DNA sequence: TTATATGCAAACGCTTTGCATCACG
DNA sequence: CGTGATGCAAAGCGTTTGCATATAA
């Protein structure tokens, strides 16, 4: 198994040291389809017998956000969660409220709407944040079957 | 001066007791054009010599959110703030990043975009949250003058 | 070898809670 | 009067920090 964890790669490219805890965090994150909280990450780490200090965990998360590999989102519940995301173009997340799986959503469709809203209000819109919540395709079918 | 604070009115309508601390919070909130944090509210209260316990402050804020007179927003800085909003139809906020003044934005324009995004991803979108940040008209002109 | 990262534990900020007292209706 | 609201102070939660130690490059 060659080293192909994209997070590890990105850390290397950014000139960060590839320490054991960072590799561990990278692997933990890779095992999530959807969003996760810091606490979830921590308990998954201990389930797997990985030694990662809480401080290191948060420092690593912060670094990954800096590198735009991760984004912090506020769930409807008020919890803070993290989602993986592809660095690069502006986008948003759509989050399944049942399984937590996320999908990236490209911005262009929204851009027009945002421009309209600016025109409507007279505000010069500099940035915006959109979070969508709903059911992913597989949870939809799963629920239909049960119903 | 007749009792015309809309927050007080709404509390009365909701069957809540009109206690002194609640009236005080209602008046404090009324004096903000834009968003405010719990801490700001608390220090404004003490500036004005009003006695309001921290717990009561938070309990009142929670109640006002329940009544949809207030909404909690997450500023780009990560701070939590509260903004007044008109109960009723679904809407979003546009927040001036300079003076904090907010405007409500009706949803319809966005609704189409959200529907598109759902179609694109296969998710069934149940709810969404949009926060817009930028400069309000008066801050725009003020900045132009300075520049 | 040396700048960087780590772990611990304590500090932190914000928010909530338990509980005895108070006061609106 | 009785229920619901208050204030305090302490607990709670998630996150950050100081500092001595360990480690990648």
């Amino acid at each position: 198994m060659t080293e192909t964890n994209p997070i590890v790669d990105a850390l290397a490219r950014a000139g960060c040291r590839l320490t054991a805890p960072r590799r561990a965090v990278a692997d933990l994150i890779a095992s999530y389809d959807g969003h996760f909280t810091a606490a979830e990450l921590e308990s998954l780490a201990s389930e797997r017998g990985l030694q990662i200090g809480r401080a290191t965990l948060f420092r690593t998360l912060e670094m990954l956000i800096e590198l735009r590999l991760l984004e912090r989102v506020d769930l409807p519940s008020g919890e803070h969660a993290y989602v993986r995301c592809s660095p690069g173009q502006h986008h948003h997340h759509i989050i399944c409220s049942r399984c937590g799986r996320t999908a990236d959503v490209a911005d262009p469709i929204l851009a027009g709407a945002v421009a309209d809203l600016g025109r409507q209000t007279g505000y010069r819109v500099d940035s915006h944040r959109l979070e969508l919540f709903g059911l992913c395709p597989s949870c939809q079918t799963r629920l239909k079957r049960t119903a």
Side-chain angles (χ1 to χ4, degrees), chain A:
Chain A
M1 157 188 143
T2 46
E3 188 72 75
T4 41
N5 184 318
I7 295 178
V8 173
D9 293 350
L11 285 174
R13 237 174 291 120
C16 301
R17 288 192 184 174
L18 298 182
T19 64
R22 284 180 184 169
R23 287 169 189 278
V25 171
D27 286 343
L28 289 171
I29 289 175
S31 67
Y32 281 98
D33 258 345
H35 57 70
F36 51 87
T37 63
E40 286 168 354
L41 216 52
E42 193 181 4
S43 60
L44 181 59
S46 75
E47 270 174 41
R48 295 196 186 170
L50 298 170
Q51 293 297 326
I52 305 167
R54 198 175 283 107
T56 302
L57 212 188
F58 278 101
R59 283 189 280 235
T60 305
L61 288 174
E62 190 187 0
M63 160 179 288
L64 294 176
I65 288 172
E66 208 72 28
L67 295 175
R68 312 204 166 268
L69 297 168
L70 233 50
E71 198 170 299
R72 194 172 165 172
V73 298
D74 300 295
L75 303 183
S77 65
E79 284 182 306
H80 291 155
Y82 300 85
V83 297
R84 297 189 58 180
C85 65
S86 36
Q89 80 300 348
H90 181 69
H91 65 275
H92 302 284
H93 297 281
I94 183 164
I95 302 174
C96 179
S97 42
R98 196 161 164 287
C99 72
R101 197 169 287 139
T102 60
D104 283 10
V105 158
D107 185 67
I109 301 176
L110 199 69
V114 169
D116 274 357
L117 296 176
R119 224 169 291 130
Q120 232 180 74
T121 56
Y123 275 59
R124 195 193 76 203
V125 180
D126 294 329
S127 69
H128 61 273
R129 184 163 52 201
L130 174 67
E131 279 153 25
L132 299 150
F133 305 97
L135 285 181
C136 71
S138 77
C139 283
Q140 284 175 55
T141 54
R142 199 172 309 152
L143 281 189
K144 255 177 231 150
R145 240 184 276 136
T146 311

